[in-house]
Amino acid sequence: MKNEKSLENEISGYIATLLRQNFGKGPTSVYVTLTRPYLAIHFRGFIAPMERILLNKHEEQRILETRDLLMNDLASDITLQLYKLTGLNIDSIYADWNLGKETGMIFAVLNEKHDEALDYWPKDVKEKEFYKAIDTASQKSEKVPEKTGIYWLSERTILVVREQILVPIEKELIANGYTEELKLAKRPLEKRIIGEVNIPSSEVRLINETFVDWNFDEDIGFFLFVLKPK
């Protein structure tokens, strides 16, 4: 049986090739974090030549729409190929992008139980205050989640899972088929508000990037924070 580091290396190579084949250019680097049942794939130096032209013309929305459509089409293939390659049984896949920094995040939830590693919490971080800050930010953008979970996938990657966060107007938009429009509208709003959150810690822990996506069917929202090196 392959160890986690070997799996991470195989996933990194596969994702780099996948992005190159489907976007015309691969990332300069790919960082994989596997802390079951979650898989986070963070990549840098990722923007295609045509996208750069659109970016220079301030057409970010068109780039995001195209990437979302392509990732929706690729999700089933990624699920199948990663299972063949690594044996990982993926339940759902999400993605988000930081066009300004030319980075991205592909995030997957596996059909597995929580690993004991998810129970880890840095001693310098004030847990209750961090939860309160996340819930306060959620309330500003929609409402306080019925349940919030914060998981340290690694020293520099934090996952926030929020359940039951959609307000009635959002549910109505989803029911009427405006899922993509809602996602594109919510992303900048939630990123801006969550950007006000600081990690309450006795040490310096700064959030460098924030990625966000949702499972609208199950009313779940995900944040992934990538921290600056300490």
Side-chain angles (χ1 to χ4, degrees):
M1 185 175 179
K2 299 175 182 178
N3 61 37
E4 303 293 72
K5 182 55 66 177
S6 176
L7 289 177
E8 290 175 354
N9 290 336
E10 290 198 40
I11 294 167
S12 174
Y14 165 71
I15 291 297
T17 301
L18 176 84
L19 294 175
R20 189 180 308 112
Q21 290 175 341
N22 288 276
F23 288 89
K25 181 187 180 300
T28 56
S29 59
V30 181
Y31 301 89
V32 178
T33 303
L34 176 59
T35 307
R36 300 169 189 263
Y38 301 116
L39 171 65
I41 307 168
H42 182 226
F43 38 92
R44 297 174 180 167
F46 178 65
I47 190 161
M50 182 58 71
E51 290 178 331
R52 191 177 297 281
I53 294 172
L54 291 171
L55 200 58
N56 290 336
K57 294 181 178 294
H58 307 290
E59 295 281 359
E60 291 90 348
Q61 200 79 341
R62 288 177 63 184
I63 299 173
L64 293 173
E65 287 176 4
T66 302
R67 286 190 177 187
D68 278 353
L69 288 171
L70 189 51
M71 284 304 301
N72 287 339
D73 284 342
L74 290 174
S76 58
D77 188 52
I78 294 172
T79 299
L80 177 61
Q81 294 304 320
L82 284 183
Y83 179 75
K84 289 181 177 179
L85 186 67
T86 65
L88 295 177
N89 188 354
I90 294 175
D91 177 71
S92 50
I93 289 182
Y94 308 91
D96 190 20
W97 324 93
N98 186 330
L99 298 179
K101 292 188 175 183
E102 299 183 11
T103 60
M105 178 75 77
I106 294 175
F107 168 68
V109 180
L110 310 178
N111 281 309
E112 296 184 14
K113 294 181 180 179
H114 282 214
D115 192 290
E116 290 182 0
L118 282 179
D119 297 330
Y120 166 76
W121 195 276
K123 292 181 180 179
D124 60 285
V125 180
K126 299 173 183 176
E127 185 172 350
K128 289 184 179 180
E129 290 185 22
F130 197 6
Y131 270 92
K132 184 177 180 181
I134 294 294
D135 284 346
T136 299
S138 296
Q139 186 175 30
K140 290 180 180 179
S141 61
E142 43 208 347
K143 67 175 186 177
V144 176
E146 289 190 13
K147 183 180 179 181
T148 302
I150 301 177
Y151 308 105
W152 291 75
L153 304 186
S154 71
E155 274 292 326
R156 291 187 54 202
T157 308
I158 305 172
L159 168 66
V160 178
V161 182
R162 301 169 302 149
E163 300 181 22
Q164 302 301 308
I165 56 171
L166 296 173
V167 295
I169 185 62
E170 293 173 328
K171 292 179 180 179
E172 195 67 23
L173 287 168
I174 293 165
N176 283 281
Y178 293 101
T179 302
E180 183 62 23
E181 291 83 353
L182 177 61
K183 184 179 289 189
L184 290 171
K186 280 172 68 67
R187 270 199 180 122
L189 170 64
E190 292 216 6
K191 285 184 177 181
R192 185 169 65 251
I193 292 173
I194 206 70
E196 301 171 4
V197 171
N198 295 313
I199 299 175
S201 169
S202 57
E203 298 182 15
V204 178
R205 291 183 181 268
L206 300 177
I207 297 173
N208 187 41
E209 291 190 82
T210 300
F211 299 96
V212 60
D213 207 349
W214 300 266
N215 183 328
F216 287 139
D217 291 336
E218 297 185 16
D219 198 349
I220 299 174
F222 302 99
F223 283 124
L224 276 155
F225 299 132
V226 177
L227 307 187
K228 291 183 178 180
K230 291 173 64 176

